[in-house]
Amino acid sequence: MKHLPSPTLASAAAVVALAAVGALLAGCATGPSEAELDRQALAAVQASFRDQGIAKVDRIKQDLGQSACSSDKPPSDAVAERISAQARATMKWPTGGQYFGDFREGERIAQSGRGMTWTDTSTATSANGGNCYNCHQISKTEISYGTIGPSLYNYGKNRGVTDIMAATAQPIVEYTWMKIYNGKTYNACSNMPRFGHAGLLDEKQMAHLMSLLLDPRSPVNQ
Amino acid sequence: MNKNLLIAAVAVAAAGLAAAQTAPSGPKSAGDGIAEYRAMLADGNPADLFEAKGEGLWKTKRGPKAATLEKCDLGQGPGVVKGAFVTLPRWFADTQKVQDLESRLVTCMETLQGFDAAEIAKTRFGQGEQVNVTALATWVAAESRGLRFNLPQGHPEEKRSYEIGKRVFFFRGGTHDFSCASCHSEEGKRIRLQDLPLLTKNPGDGVGFAAWPAYRVSNGEMWSMQLRLNDCFRQQRFPFPGFGSEITVALGTYMGVNAKGAQSIAPAIKR
Amino acid sequence: MPDPMRIRAQVAGPAATVRVLMSHDMETGLRRDAAGKVIPAWFIQEVTATHNGKQVLSAQWGPSIAKNPFMQFNVKGAKAGDKIVVTWKDNKGETRTDEATVT
């Protein structure tokens, strides 16, 4: 027959066990703070990625426009304004005021989603596309378009642009250029890649996109 | 009274019939057409071939220790495969970490069969032992087909993994400022014609986390969740995420917990 | 030894529906690898199926058939317990035979 432990020993052991569980639960109940978890997540990101081809780990060093927008909650108005101010400071207007190019080239650039991944071989802008159709409807005939961004069909027409060289069109011309060059100028947490600022497209490529969107002869505005 | 009711009933039926006859059977939307094509592909999913291969690998003596994987603990106890897929990632006492299916399979391949886990992690997808890891993952997932996701969140490390995963999900970075959230945080969005599941909540049965591993018809490849995440990061223009690295497991925890109750259809078929 | 096929054969009315999934790369011979070299053509050229030893299907395939091809056909008069045997042969001379019992 098995000998049971004496009553006093058993209850003492039980008290110790309960105290231990209590201590453990107290520790669990609080857990790491939100700020500590933020820090741990950043550390995990740094530790989990490595260089591959043209994609180096310096790409995940965040600037304010990225870090402040890395949450399901938007940044405060003050921070958003700082981000937009920083974006405005990066703005480069096209050389010689050449805002426009060829809308046919623009369509080709808009169709291409190439460039800057670790399977691409060059970081040159000539190797890059604009990725535009991935997120936007643009011309009427291309049915394979994404819906992450708003439709850009009739972009110029809807904004009353009948002559891209007219002074009346200048505000929308500048707005559109800034949106493509650095979308954070207007929207701190914009989903738009910063094509100009990040060196993804050069000013000639952006000028072609400007024509695609604003030229009254472009298929986008038919 | 009866006659009036009868007339009313006939009138309603006639109206219904008229509506049916005059309703335009307009052209299918591009999305509908693609959905039909995918449904047709689902019969004869080549994932079956990988499933069969994975089952064979589980039961075959392999590696320096010439052992099978039949004692591998995927979270439900050694050798228990049914139901394991829908409770991963989870915390494991022996490794003292939260692990997803693939990193856990590699752990078992090392401890039971003597393979070098670090070597497998460095191997490219579709080569060497990675081919076998994918096949094993496909079979293990198949053994939970139809079951509903129910990841444990009792251990502090499991909770922490969820929190890390959530933060990584929203992490904006790379040359294009993309995060997982850029594509997967709004309902009803698509990239080109590819519908994007909402991953911040339960996206529904057989969607998102519940649909991988999957056979991708476009390139004829079997894709595990680790490969799916890897290619997401490539398209996000990020640097390379290590196989089984902490953030890849944490993202699995985040998506898996969000998908609680969703039915798994893995291994599925994709474009 | 090439990977096995998956064959399912089920009675459906007066016939049996046979579904075959074959494991094969089905290279067209038109693709190039990362170095620019042509990947040599490698595809199933001939598929045959027998029902209880009698040939019921013979197919000649070319490079336009998809990778890991799936084929479905009906066999009139097949009953539960009958044997279906499928064989493929490719342009390298490799071959694979698998069988299934009709359920």
Side-chain angles (χ1 to χ4, degrees):
Chain A
M1 179 155 99
K2 261 170 79 173
H3 286 280
L4 295 165
S6 68
T8 46
L9 204 61
S11 43
V15 167
V16 169
L18 274 171
V21 169
L24 199 65
L25 279 174
C28 290
T30 46
S33 67
E34 292 289 303
E36 176 57 24
L37 287 166
D38 289 346
R39 203 198 54 77
Q40 288 176 8
L42 272 179
V45 168
Q46 297 311 320
S48 298
F49 289 93
R50 63 166 172 79
D51 290 353
Q52 179 78 20
I54 59 171
K56 313 275 190 236
V57 294
D58 62 5
R59 288 187 178 189
I60 49 176
K61 208 162 125 65
Q62 292 179 307
D63 61 18
L64 181 66
Q66 292 168 327
S67 60
C69 299
S70 291
S71 150
D72 51 350
K73 294 170 192 48
S76 67
D77 287 345
V79 172
E81 180 43 46
R82 241 173 64 214
I83 294 169
S84 292
Q86 283 181 2
R88 276 193 295 275
T90 71
M91 280 308 304
K92 284 199 179 68
W93 302 103
T95 316
Q98 294 279 11
Y99 284 98
F100 295 101
D102 177 8
F103 59 76
R104 276 166 292 255
E105 260 305 295
E107 172 71 10
R108 207 191 55 80
I109 294 166
Q111 286 276 7
S112 168
R114 308 223 56 155
M116 304 306 280
T117 72
W118 68 63
T119 51
D120 291 294
T121 48
S122 163
T123 56
T125 54
S126 52
N128 299 342
N131 258 304
C132 314
Y133 275 104
N134 282 354
C135 298
H136 295 282
Q137 178 183 29
I138 307 176
S139 74
K140 195 189 216 168
T141 49
E142 179 56 80
I143 62 164
S144 178
Y145 62 85
T147 56
I148 296 173
S151 171
L152 301 175
Y153 175 59
N154 274 356
Y155 181 84
K157 191 171 179 182
N158 285 345
R159 288 157 181 78
V161 175
T162 48
D163 177 0
I164 51 180
M165 293 305 171
T168 46
Q170 196 59 11
I172 194 70
V173 168
E174 286 177 10
Y175 167 83
T176 309
W177 180 268
M178 285 170 86
K179 199 76 176 134
I180 299 173
Y181 194 94
N182 190 333
K184 288 185 183 296
T185 313
Y186 290 102
N187 178 1
C189 293
S190 176
N191 269 332
M192 280 279 282
R194 294 174 277 177
F195 292 100
H197 174 58
L200 306 175
L201 297 173
D202 59 33
E203 54 176 48
K204 280 209 167 61
Q205 291 168 306
M206 288 188 280
H208 292 316
L209 289 175
M210 292 282 287
S211 292
L212 178 68
L213 293 175
L214 289 166
D215 194 323
R217 298 165 299 169
S218 163
V220 170
N221 295 312
Q222 304 315 311
Chain B
M1 174 73 154
N2 278 349
K3 188 173 158 209
N4 286 341
L5 266 175
L6 187 63
I7 291 169
V10 169
V12 166
L17 195 65
Q21 284 174 334
T22 55
S25 59
K28 273 178 256 194
S29 75
D32 286 342
I34 289 178
E36 244 183 70
Y37 154 77
R38 288 190 184 129
M40 279 162 60
L41 280 182
D43 193 10
N45 183 352
D48 278 3
L49 297 166
F50 295 84
E51 207 183 301
K53 183 170 179 166
E55 183 174 10
L57 286 163
W58 184 265
K59 298 171 181 170
T60 304
K61 291 195 169 87
R62 294 203 322 129
K65 292 188 182 175
T68 73
L69 286 169
E70 286 162 315
K71 286 202 175 67
C72 181
D73 186 348
L74 297 168
Q76 310 265 351
V80 180
V81 182
K82 259 192 172 49
F85 179 69
V86 290
T87 58
L88 287 163
R90 68 189 294 152
W91 187 78
F92 287 89
D94 58 1
T95 52
Q96 293 280 297
K97 8 184 231 196
V98 175
Q99 289 184 277
D100 67 354
L101 172 58
E102 284 165 84
S103 60
R104 190 64 193 168
L105 282 168
V106 173
T107 294
C108 285
M109 286 166 77
E110 184 170 71
T111 54
L112 296 173
Q113 298 179 312
F115 287 106
D116 183 342
E119 216 28 67
I120 298 177
K122 278 199 296 196
T123 306
R124 291 175 63 170
F125 291 107
Q127 292 187 357
E129 284 299 319
Q130 278 287 2
V131 173
N132 296 325
V133 176
T134 300
L136 283 160
T138 304
W139 176 65
V140 172
E143 288 288 290
S144 287
R145 202 187 262 115
L147 300 181
R148 295 185 182 276
F149 279 93
N150 190 21
L151 272 63
Q153 281 279 287
H155 194 281
E157 280 299 297
E158 286 164 348
K159 290 193 183 67
R160 199 179 72 88
S161 186
Y162 179 85
E163 291 296 324
I164 302 289
K166 181 164 92 169
R167 284 156 172 80
V168 175
F169 187 87
F170 286 94
F171 182 95
R172 301 284 294 271
T175 54
H176 287 46
D177 305 332
F178 289 153
S179 61
C180 311
S182 301
C183 290
H184 291 290
S185 65
E186 272 187 82
E187 189 71 74
K189 296 292 181 179
R190 59 171 206 245
I191 182 168
R192 287 281 190 163
L193 284 177
Q194 175 66 63
D195 289 329
L196 296 162
L198 172 64
L199 297 175
T200 55
K201 299 209 263 276
N202 184 344
D205 291 347
V207 178
F209 196 65
W212 299 89
Y215 183 84
R216 284 188 110 218
V217 174
S218 50
N219 55 20
E221 291 172 4
M222 191 71 215
W223 278 31
S224 61
M225 177 50 68
Q226 280 284 332
L227 179 46
R228 178 61 269 175
L229 290 172
N230 183 286
D231 207 63
C232 276
F233 281 119
R234 185 183 71 84
Q235 308 259 47
Q236 284 167 244
R237 279 71 176 177
F238 270 50
F240 195 96
F243 175 85
S245 56
E246 183 179 356
I247 60 113
T248 60
V249 176
L251 283 170
T253 306
Y254 177 67
M255 290 190 286
V257 169
N258 287 345
K260 186 179 168 90
Q263 205 175 37
S264 174
I265 61 163
I269 192 162
K270 298 281 184 182
R271 64 176 176 88
Chain C
M1 169 70 150
D3 280 343
M5 294 181 247
R6 299 270 270 185
I7 308 177
R8 287 172 291 154
Q10 289 160 318
V11 169
T17 303
V18 183
R19 296 181 177 86
V20 188
L21 189 58
M22 299 173 220
S23 176
H24 202 286
D25 273 359
M26 301 298 284
E27 274 300 344
T28 59
L30 298 169
R31 290 203 313 140
R32 288 176 188 274
D33 62 19
K37 266 181 53 201
V38 169
I39 302 170
W42 180 33
F43 53 89
I44 293 171
Q45 285 185 311
E46 196 184 286
V47 183
T48 53
T50 63
H51 166 227
N52 286 344
K54 178 168 150 254
Q55 185 170 92
V56 289
L57 176 144
S58 153
Q60 288 174 327
W61 283 2
S64 57
I65 304 286
K67 180 173 174 172
N68 295 329
F70 172 71
M71 180 175 71
Q72 179 176 315
F73 59 97
N74 298 324
V75 181
K76 275 209 294 245
K79 296 181 180 47
D82 289 354
K83 199 151 97 151
I84 305 287
V85 178
V86 180
T87 300
W88 60 251
K89 205 154 51 174
D90 68 23
N91 68 321
K92 280 198 207 168
E94 288 186 42
T95 182
R96 174 86 211 180
T97 300
D98 289 285
E99 56 182 64
T101 309
V102 179
T103 53

